[in-house]
Amino acid sequence: MRSPFSSNKRTAPSVFPENAATPTSKAAMGEMACCAPCGYLYDPSFGDPDGGIAPGTPFEDVPKDWACPKCGARKQDFFTLTPDR
Ligand SMILES: [Zn+2]
């Protein structure tokens, strides 16, 4: 038997902008990380271009030898901020 709702049509967006940054959705791609010593905020959507971290890099993918651009603290001195939805 057929129900009118059985046709599960999904309309996927035909064009998905890969390069479009979405600054409005904060922490959409990962947790922000805060430098404990100086309070510098690492935003995954911005990365740290000066430190060689491309925008869109989650903090967990930041190399261990990366250092805080402000105070030089190591990655282990950062703590992640869980976005409160
Ligand atoms: Zn710092």
Side-chain angles (χ1 to χ4, degrees), residues 35 38 40 68 71:
C35 178
C38 81
Y40 168 83
C68 172
C71 75

Side-chain angles (χ1 to χ4, degrees), residues 9 13 17 23-24 52 62 69 80 82:
K9 245 192 275 182
T24 47
V62 170
T80 51
T82 307

